[in-house]
Amino acid sequence: MTKRMKAVILAAGIGKRIPEFTADIPKCLIPITSSGETILQRLIAQLISLHVNNIRVVVGKEGNCWTRENRDRVKDI
């Protein structure tokens, strides 16, 4: 029997201390590699490699960076 591993990612932060990166995107969508991989993509990939098979992402509901486009980007990830 496979054990179900769960994770909750709190991705609601807007990155107030790094405004040069987060003027129009939430902190979790900052690209961290030359190929454009985001912080959220890297974290999810690491969890999957550890066989976490139930991942939930909690996003913010307010703020300039939480546009419909950015919410859709998180859903696509």
Side-chain angles (χ1 to χ4, degrees), residues 8-77:
V8 175
I9 300 172
L10 302 177
I14 60 172
K16 288 181 185 177
R17 292 177 290 210
I18 49 173
E20 63 274 14
F21 298 108
T22 60
D24 57 351
I25 60 170
K27 184 172 43 183
C28 66
L29 294 178
I30 295 172
I32 56 172
T33 65
S34 59
S35 66
E37 181 182 39
T38 66
I39 292 172
L40 183 59
Q41 288 171 312
R42 172 73 58 90
L43 180 55
I44 289 174
Q46 290 172 338
L47 289 169
I48 289 170
S49 74
L50 295 169
H51 307 289
V52 176
N53 51 20
N54 188 347
I55 302 170
R56 299 287 183 245
V57 179
V58 179
V59 299
K61 70 174 192 168
E62 295 181 8
N64 295 337
C65 67
W66 283 112
T67 62
R68 172 59 49 203
E69 178 185 356
N70 286 334
R71 287 179 184 279
D72 290 344
R73 286 180 64 198
V74 169
K75 287 179 185 178
D76 289 343
I77 295 171

